[in-house]
């Protein structure tokens, strides 16, 4: 098709070139003899439209009205008069090209049009050479860029904004796949390309592009063949980007194919809104009920309302006004305002000849083409215009787009049509008019994007889900692994095609929650003698052997590259299983709760705290005084008796009491932790194994078992770089047990659900270490299948209502092993670092305060009186004196002595009374 298109374009260009040569060569003399006596009084403007079309008819009336209004205002153009000649291209690009040449031969300063983007691409090259601005409000192809076509100006929003609006609508309704029907011409192809790009930005895609012949050559038979093909596809979201005649024919034929019924979504571009605005809706509404379309939005104003009231008189009731009529009127005024500024700038309408010739030996004389010398100045004036017209504010941004382009979204209903909201480039979808939203900060959040309810095809207000199963009438082929082990997960029933198990019940429960009926059948995959390869099972979906794969299929990276998975319905991950031995009890079992480091640090703190308390109490407490040997025994006794809170020595100093309180709290925590750990050691069977997890298994040279068909083998070799010769395939739990008992393998690596079932019957083995992968099981679907999204929603519902847990308990309930336990961990020093740190800081601060207090008291008792000559001897003497001062008994004040005597006497009285009562008893 591309080659044919290229040849066709090449032929047309040659034809245009030849005709131009003949036309210009023959008319050069006539141009030289033309009278120009009124050139200063009349400004010529051309317009090119197909007057048989709706936009052509509306534009002609609006342009003539604008010409009349401009010429009736003497303030515009300084007394000059606009002369607008309209050329009918009659659906022919060739005739449109000829009309443009005629305008360029008659000193035309600007051209309104052309109507189609294809002709705009051709004429823009002439405009570039001759400096004649082209203004079009219907040729809205987004590829007509100012970089390539500087003299072409779009006075209405380009198709890029329209396609962005459609993409936002599709994303807002949650649809993912779209079918586009378009005319196979420049605006059709380019518009659909932009739509595909905008959909991709939102996570959607064009699943099929149906190209129709350019208007008016599309035949009913060809359109019907395309509709039949589309009807057999999965997507039910159809975007129709054509012209009015072809578009209405598509709708009529789609109704005959029952494609305007419930479940379908039709979104037409702005051509449909022009039909609804400008013609009788009763003639077309029967075949377009429920369709959505876009209409360029223009804000309400008194000027616009006056023109609408005037329209019936202008058109004699022959045709209704649509937004493109407003753009046509404003385009004339844009040129008029720019010309007015041009003349104020002392610009003159003058033309010069430009000879075009080839660079070869043969010259091709195309005649004298007139170049508008003020064209660049007029173009700059047009781009710098700033006024208010019927369509609202008129000015052009840096990309030449109108300010804040917006559309009204229309829903076709039985009584005509109704507005369901707006889209603007500023704030997206909303039920509030764009001009009101522009007064607020832009908000494109999901919560702010909404439209009014829609009456969809089939006269329903229920939002279509946007897709159906392809090949209507065929049951879905559900691939199921034909397992020979772990049959509680999935298994065949009595050598039939019936299946049961944990995964099957979850699939059936989820599919019941779908809002539509699904016909399906299970197809077993595997020979029934060995567990099948799950990679092969998933690959069958890409080969169109299965539509869905249901079973214990792990969601891993390699598989997600070729299929889509649902939400996981069970968590999974690889774990290591190894034989374990019972730890035998011995005479030193009581030391097990703490590590050697923990024992050493604890013993050190017992002695350290006892020493600190002795220092703080030595001067004031008689219990901490006496001969050195007695004091050493006192420190040891006090230190270790705090473990049992049985110390007989009282603390009298405030600092000593603070230190003791903190230490007793630390001892309480240590005692409680030791007691709990020792209880666990003596009452729960302890297991040991040389394999402590995946790291120790990798570093060893032992052989590793794995389940046949599982992804574990690929993961171990590709991700962990374990040589294949170390891997041993195992097919059943019984083979696991035999291989582990005989030492054929040192450990088995498998997914946790399988391992939990295995350990429920084999308590002599245990999981070593933690899971070293995180994944889950899910159902596999073809890429971009919307069915996967609906099933994921159903699985989440099962999880929320507790049904998943009930099914799990039914099929995978574990038998508890009476003596299964994970490896006991000794209490580490790290667990108590905070306590020891607090205690150490408290002791240090207490000693610092005590030392400073002693220095202060000592300085008061014996002030420094040493001279320079005996400074060294005085220093040693003073240190000795200070140590003697610290060691001596602190003098007790009379008040303290009285309080102490009262305390002693009260203790004696209590002891006497207690002894007497004992004697009486």
């Amino acid at each position: 098709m591309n080659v044919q298109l290229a040849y066709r374009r090449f032929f047309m260009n040659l034809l245009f070139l030849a005709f131009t040569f003949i036309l210009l060569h023959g008319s050069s003399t006539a141009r030289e003899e033309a009278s120009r006596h009124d050139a200063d009084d009349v400004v010529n403007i051309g317009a090119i439209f197909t007057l048989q079309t709706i936009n052509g008819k509306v534009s002609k009336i609006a342009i003539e009205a604008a010409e009349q209004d401009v010429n009736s205002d003497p303030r515009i153009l300084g007394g000059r008069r606009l002369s607008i000649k309209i050329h009918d291209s009659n659906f022919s690009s060739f005739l449109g090209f000829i009309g443009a040449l005629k305008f360029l031969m008659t000193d035309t300063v600007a051209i309104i049009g052309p109507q189609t983007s294809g002709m705009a691409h051709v004429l823009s090259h002439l405009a570039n050479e001759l400096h004649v601005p082209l203004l079009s409000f219907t040729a809205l192809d987004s590829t007509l860029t100012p970089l390539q076509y500087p003299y072409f100006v779009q006075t209405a929003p380009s198709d890029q904004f329209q396609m962005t609006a459609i993409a936002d609508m599709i994303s807002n309704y949650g649809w993912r796949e779209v079918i586009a029907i378009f005319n196979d011409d420049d605006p059709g192809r380019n518009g659909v390309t932009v739509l595909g790009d905008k959909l991709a930005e939102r996570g959607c895609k064009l699943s099929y592009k149906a190209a129709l012949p350019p208007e008016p050559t599309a035949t009913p038979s060809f359109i019907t063949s395309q509709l039949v093909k589309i009807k057999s596809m999965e997507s039910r979201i159809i975007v129709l980007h054509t012209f009015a005649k072809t578009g209405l024919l598509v709708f009529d034929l789609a109704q005959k194919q029952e494609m305007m019924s419930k479940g379908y979504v039709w979104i037409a571009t702005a051509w449909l809104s022009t039909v609804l605005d400008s013609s009788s809706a009763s003639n077309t509404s029967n075949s377009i009920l429920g369709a959505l379309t876009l209409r360029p939005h223009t804000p309400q104003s008194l000027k616009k309302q006056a023109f609408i009231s005037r329209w019936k008189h202008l058109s004699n009731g022959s045709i209704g006004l649509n937004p493109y009529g407003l753009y046509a009127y404003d385009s004339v005024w844009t040129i008029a305002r720019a010309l007015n500024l041009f003349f104020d700038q002392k610009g003159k309408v003058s033309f010069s000849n430009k000879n075009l010739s080839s660079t070869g030996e043969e010259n091709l004389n195309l005649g004298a083409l007139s170049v508008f010398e003020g064209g660049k100045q007029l173009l700059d004036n047009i781009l710098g215009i700033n006024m208010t017209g019927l369509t609202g504010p008129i000015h052009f941004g840096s990309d030449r787009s109108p300010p804040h382009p917006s559309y009204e979204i229309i829903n076709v209903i039985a009584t005509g049509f109704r507005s369901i909201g707006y889209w603007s480039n500023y704030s997206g979808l909303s039920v509030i008019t764009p001009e009101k939203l522009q007064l607020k900060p832009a908000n494109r959040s999901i919560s702010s994007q909404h439209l009014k309810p829609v009456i969809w095809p089939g006269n329903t207000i229920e939002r279509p889900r946007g897709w159906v199963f392809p090949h209507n009438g065929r049951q879905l082929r559900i691939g199921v692994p034909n397992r020979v082990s772990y049959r509680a997960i999935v298994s065949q029933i009595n050598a039939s095609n019936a299946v049961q198990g944990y995964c099957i019940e979850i699939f059936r429960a989820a599919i019941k929650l779908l809002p539509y009926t699904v016909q399906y059948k299970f197809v077993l995959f595997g020979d029934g003698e060995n567990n099948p390869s799950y990679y092969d099972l998933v690959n069958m979906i890409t080969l169109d052997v299965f539509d869905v794969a249901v079973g214990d299929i792990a969601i891993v990276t390699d598989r997600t590259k070729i299929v889509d998975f649902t939400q996981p319905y069970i968590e999974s991950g690889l774990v290591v299983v190894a034989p374990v031995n019972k730890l035998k009890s011995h005479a030193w079992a009581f030391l097990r709760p703490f590590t050697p480091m923990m024992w050493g640090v604890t013993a050190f703190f017992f002695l350290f705290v006892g020493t600190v308390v002795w220092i703080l109490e030595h001067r004031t407490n008689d219990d901490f005084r006496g001969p050195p040997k007695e004091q050493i025994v006192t420190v040891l006794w006090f230190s270790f008796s705090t473990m049992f809170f049985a110390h007989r020595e009282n603390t009298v100093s405030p600092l000593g009491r603070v230190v003791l309180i903190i230490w007793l709290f630390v001892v309480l925590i240590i005692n409680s932790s030791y007691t709990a750990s020792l209880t666990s050691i003596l009452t729960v069977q302890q297991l040991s194994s040389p394999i402590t997890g995946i790291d120790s298994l990798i570093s060893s040279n032992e052989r590793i078992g794995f389940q046949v068909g599982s992804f574990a083998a690929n993961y171990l070799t590709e991700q962990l770089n374990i040589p294949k010769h170390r891997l041993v395939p195992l097919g059943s739990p019984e083979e696991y047990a035999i291989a582990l008992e005989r030492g054929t393998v040192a450990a088995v690596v498998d997914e946790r659900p399988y391992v939990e079932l295995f350990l429920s019957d084999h308590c002599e083995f245990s999981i070593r270490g933690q899971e070293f992968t995180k994944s889950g099981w899910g159902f596999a679907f073809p890429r971009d299948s919307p069915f996967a999204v609906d099933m994921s929603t159903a699985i989440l519902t099962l999880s929320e209502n507790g049904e998943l847990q009930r099914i799990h308990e039914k099929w995978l309930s574990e038998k508890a092993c009476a003596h299964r336990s994970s490896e006991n961990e000794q209490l580490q020093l790290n667990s108590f670092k905070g306590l020891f740190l607090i205690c150490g800081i408290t002791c240090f601060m207490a000693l610092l305060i005590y030392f400073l207090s002693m220095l202060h008291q000592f300085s008061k008792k014996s002030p420094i009186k040493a001279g320079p000559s005996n400074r060294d001897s005085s220093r040693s003497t003073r240190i000795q004196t200070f140590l003697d001062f610290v060691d001596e008994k602190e003098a007790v004040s009379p008040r303290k002595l009285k309080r102490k005597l009262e305390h002693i006497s009260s203790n004696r009285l209590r002891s006497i009374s207690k002894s007497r009562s004992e004697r009486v008893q």
Side-chain angles (χ1 to χ4, degrees), residues 506-752:
I506 288 179
F507 177 79
R508 286 172 171 158
I511 213 166
K512 288 179 181 177
L513 296 178
L514 299 180
Y516 46 86
T517 303
V518 179
Q519 301 295 328
Y520 61 90
K521 63 179 179 179
F522 292 114
V523 181
L524 290 168
F525 177 74
D527 56 13
E529 297 179 0
N530 299 286
N531 290 334
S533 169
Y534 282 66
Y535 282 101
D536 293 342
L537 173 59
V538 170
N539 194 50
M540 289 297 168
I541 296 177
T542 64
L543 299 176
D544 198 30
V545 176
F546 297 135
D547 299 309
V548 187
V550 170
D552 46 332
I553 306 171
I555 304 173
V556 294
T557 303
D558 290 345
R559 297 172 186 173
T560 57
K561 293 177 180 178
I562 59 175
V563 297
D564 282 348
F565 282 93
T566 61
Q567 171 82 14
Y569 56 85
I570 186 174
E571 291 185 358
S572 181
L574 293 178
V575 294
V576 177
V577 179
V580 290
N581 299 317
K582 181 179 179 181
L583 288 177
K584 296 181 180 179
S585 182
H586 54 82
W588 303 100
F590 68 90
L591 294 176
R592 257 189 228 160
F594 290 160
T595 61
M597 178 62 72
M598 180 64 185
W599 279 116
V601 173
T602 303
F604 168 78
F605 264 86
F606 270 110
L607 296 175
F608 175 67
V609 172
T611 303
V612 171
V613 173
W614 179 83
I615 293 172
L616 299 175
E617 296 287 327
H618 180 65
R619 297 190 77 236
T620 58
N621 194 336
D622 292 334
D623 292 336
F624 291 89
R625 299 190 63 81
K629 291 183 179 180
E630 285 188 15
Q631 293 307 298
I632 293 174
V633 173
T634 299
V635 170
L636 295 175
W637 165 258
F638 180 83
S639 299
F640 291 102
S641 63
T642 55
M643 181 183 296
F644 312 102
F645 307 100
H647 52 280
R648 65 188 178 192
E649 294 80 10
N650 293 319
T651 53
V652 296
S653 67
L655 293 175
R657 289 176 177 176
V658 170
V659 171
L660 185 59
I661 288 174
I662 297 298
W663 174 243
L664 290 178
F665 175 74
V666 174
V667 170
L668 175 64
I669 299 300
I670 292 175
N671 277 341
S672 302
S673 303
Y674 176 85
T675 303
S677 181
L678 184 61
T679 301
S680 175
I681 289 173
L682 297 178
T683 57
V684 179
Q685 180 186 16
Q686 299 300 297
L687 306 177
S688 68
S689 170
I691 303 299
T692 59
I694 188 62
D695 292 331
S696 62
L697 194 60
I698 294 174
S699 60
S700 69
N701 291 321
E702 301 289 344
R703 302 183 60 161
I704 305 170
F706 68 92
Q707 183 183 174
V708 174
S710 170
F711 76 95
N714 285 345
Y715 184 86
L716 293 174
T717 56
E718 296 177 6
Q719 301 297 326
L720 303 182
N721 298 319
I722 296 176
K724 289 186 178 181
H725 65 81
R726 289 182 56 190
L727 303 183
V728 178
L730 302 172
S732 66
E734 292 73 20
E735 292 185 22
Y736 286 14
I738 294 173
L740 290 170
E741 289 173 353
R742 295 179 178 178
T744 306
V745 297
V748 172
V749 173
D750 206 350
E751 296 179 70
R752 179 173 283 276

Side-chain angles (χ1 to χ4, degrees), residues 841-860:
I841 292 174
T842 303
C843 292
F844 174 77
M845 295 300 298
L847 288 175
L848 180 62
I849 295 171
Y850 178 76
F851 178 72
L852 295 176
S853 176
M854 289 298 99
L855 285 178
H856 179 68
Q857 295 179 24
F858 178 70
S859 64
K860 285 184 177 181

Side-chain angles (χ1 to χ4, degrees), residues 175-206:
W175 299 316
R176 289 294 174 264
E177 293 191 11
V178 180
I179 294 173
I181 302 177
F182 62 98
N183 285 121
D184 191 15
D185 52 16
D186 285 339
R189 286 188 300 271
N190 296 333
V192 169
T193 299
V194 173
L195 176 61
D197 294 340
K198 297 300 179 181
L199 288 173
E201 292 174 3
R202 292 153 179 79
C204 311
K205 72 170 187 177
L206 279 175

